[in-house]
Amino acid sequence: MKFYSRNWYYIGGILFVIMSFVMGFFGDGVSQIEKILIFSFMSLLVHQFEEYGLPGGFPAFFNVIMNGEKEAPDRYPQNSQLAMVVNVVLAYPFYMAAIIFSDAIWLGLATMYFGFSQILMHGIVMNRKLKSFYNPGLAASIFLHGPIGVYYTWYVTTHDLAGTWDYIAGIIAMIAAAVIIVALPIKLFSSRQAKYPFSQEEMERFGMSEKVKRLSEPMRVQKK
């Protein structure tokens, strides 16, 4: 468990490569809507790898810059095991359920809306916090979640696969998923005494140490 909690995003990256070959060689046997949903799941794998692996740095960004933690920044509010639970144990089934039950258009839309929300979070909220034009996870949000979500929405609309209720239910399901997958676990299981801190390497990726230092420096008031 310790090994997996430290390396789940690398394993997810390997899974992405395997799925790329499988879809490339055997994707013709999959329906178009299932194919879109599979690519959506693959975009999640890339997103997570970008956040935690390359360039990484999301643990320090989330704990220190987003939440201002100073006492135990390597394990609060998020620690390595909690990150694994949120991103794998909870997020994977959400996306995979949309693939398995591809006829439930509202569920597919919920995953796409979840991807759209990542564009808003990474593109606006997180960039403002970091005072930058980029943060770990932004590229996958813009170049994968966005286009795939737009295409899925276009596809189900033009093929008359979605009704008004599907769009409404998709929004409701997306909000519920955000609470259940992200907000609730962090609220319930965050602890400064957590036994699974992020490693120093994970905390310092993407030059986060320098970025944290820069953002934490008090603003100097220029005397006129």
Side-chain angles (χ1 to χ4, degrees), residues 90-166:
L90 299 177
Y92 279 20
F94 176 50
Y95 275 76
M96 293 173 70
I99 299 170
I100 295 170
F101 304 104
S102 58
D103 291 338
I105 304 302
W106 63 271
L107 183 55
L109 286 168
T111 62
M112 301 304 163
Y113 295 157
F114 193 85
F116 290 150
S117 72
Q118 295 301 308
I119 298 176
L120 296 177
M121 286 299 298
H122 283 274
I124 299 176
V125 178
M126 295 182 181
N127 267 351
R128 290 184 63 181
K129 280 284 187 178
L130 194 58
K131 300 186 188 310
S132 172
F133 290 106
Y134 173 79
N135 62 83
L138 179 61
S141 298
I142 293 177
F143 298 111
L144 293 176
H145 287 303
I148 292 172
V150 169
Y151 182 70
Y152 179 87
T153 305
W154 171 84
Y155 184 86
V156 299
T157 301
T158 56
H159 288 76
D160 295 323
L161 299 175
T164 302
W165 165 248
D166 289 300

Side-chain angles (χ1 to χ4, degrees), residues 2-161:
K2 184 177 180 180
F3 173 82
Y4 191 74
S5 68
R6 293 284 191 196
N7 297 278
W8 59 268
Y9 44 90
Y10 289 123
I11 296 171
I14 294 171
L15 178 58
F16 170 82
V17 174
I18 294 172
M19 292 182 69
S20 297
F21 278 100
V22 171
M23 291 301 294
F25 289 112
F26 307 105
D28 292 341
V30 180
S31 70
Q32 184 68 8
I33 197 165
E34 289 173 331
K35 191 177 296 184
I36 302 170
L37 291 165
I38 290 172
F39 286 146
S40 179
F41 174 64
M42 291 170 66
S43 73
L44 175 70
L45 300 176
V46 175
H47 185 121
Q48 294 170 342
F49 183 79
E50 183 185 359
E51 287 184 327
Y52 292 88
L54 184 68
F58 186 78
F61 174 74
F62 183 81
N63 288 356
V64 182
I65 297 175
M66 288 292 291
N67 290 282
E69 177 59 22
K70 296 180 180 179
E71 184 179 336
D74 63 346
R75 70 191 72 197
Y76 185 85
Q78 194 176 64
N79 58 71
S80 63
Q81 187 177 60
L82 184 53
M84 182 269 292
V85 170
V86 168
N87 286 279
V88 178
V89 178
L90 299 177
Y92 279 20
F94 176 50
Y95 275 76
M96 293 173 70
I99 299 170
I100 295 170
F101 304 104
S102 58
D103 291 338
I105 304 302
W106 63 271
L107 183 55
L109 286 168
T111 62
M112 301 304 163
Y113 295 157
F114 193 85
F116 290 150
S117 72
Q118 295 301 308
I119 298 176
L120 296 177
M121 286 299 298
H122 283 274
I124 299 176
V125 178
M126 295 182 181
N127 267 351
R128 290 184 63 181
K129 280 284 187 178
L130 194 58
K131 300 186 188 310
S132 172
F133 290 106
Y134 173 79
N135 62 83
L138 179 61
S141 298
I142 293 177
F143 298 111
L144 293 176
H145 287 303
I148 292 172
V150 169
Y151 182 70
Y152 179 87
T153 305
W154 171 84
Y155 184 86
V156 299
T157 301
T158 56
H159 288 76
D160 295 323
L161 299 175

